[in-house]
Amino acid sequence: MPETTSESTAAAVLAAADYFEGYSVVGLLAVLGVLFVAIAFGAGRLLRPVVPTPEKLLTYECGVDPVGEGWAHTQVRYYVYAFLYVIFAVDSIFLFPWATVFAADGYGATTLVEMFIFLGFLAVGLLYAYKKGVLTWT
């Protein structure tokens, strides 16, 4: 017995409602997060004392009064250390899911080989950085 138009429309509406139900929860959480931040900033603005003085309006950095120009040379090596940290932090993010999949049936040898290939690429990158002298502090 074929469905009538009203039955197929009702089924489509129910399917759409089920589909968007998950998104409504995410949307509600996003709205609540934005409201929480807005209320926190509003409360801070209402509760803080506002007494601007010339001393408070002075540019301040690291406890030293600004003298001379605003330009300063920055050592590139600090950025290299930051990049190396990020690389190994991302590495640790990949190691945790790997450990959970490794225990699953049928995935042991495959995931072990894949992870050693991944760690090999990281080791080659670290060796390259060491050979270039990036890891020496001068």
Side-chain angles (χ1 to χ4, degrees), residues 9-120:
T9 305
V13 168
L14 286 176
D18 288 341
Y19 178 75
F20 287 112
E21 183 179 349
Y23 288 112
S24 64
V25 172
V26 172
L28 179 65
L29 285 175
V31 168
L32 286 175
V34 168
L35 281 175
F36 179 75
V37 170
I39 289 171
F41 275 117
R45 188 174 189 99
L46 290 174
L47 297 175
R48 73 173 181 232
V50 180
V51 184
T53 62
E55 186 71 24
K56 287 182 181 178
L57 297 176
L58 183 67
T59 304
Y60 176 82
E61 183 174 341
C62 301
V64 179
D65 290 332
V67 176
E69 295 183 21
W71 287 97
H73 293 286
T74 304
Q75 296 293 329
V76 175
R77 66 176 172 250
Y78 299 123
Y79 293 109
V80 171
Y81 286 111
F83 286 137
L84 287 172
Y85 169 76
V86 168
I87 288 170
F88 288 103
V90 170
D91 174 37
S92 66
I93 289 172
F94 284 119
L95 285 175
F96 287 113
W98 170 75
T100 60
V101 171
F102 183 70
D105 293 334
Y107 291 106
T110 305
T111 55
L112 185 65
V113 169
E114 288 175 353
M115 187 48 62
F116 275 117
I117 291 171
F118 177 69
L119 291 174

Side-chain angles (χ1 to χ4, degrees), residues 80 84 124-138:
V80 171
L84 287 172
V124 167
L126 185 62
L127 182 65
Y128 176 77
Y130 177 75
K131 290 286 188 182
K132 284 292 204 178
V134 171
L135 301 178
T136 58
W137 190 274
T138 57

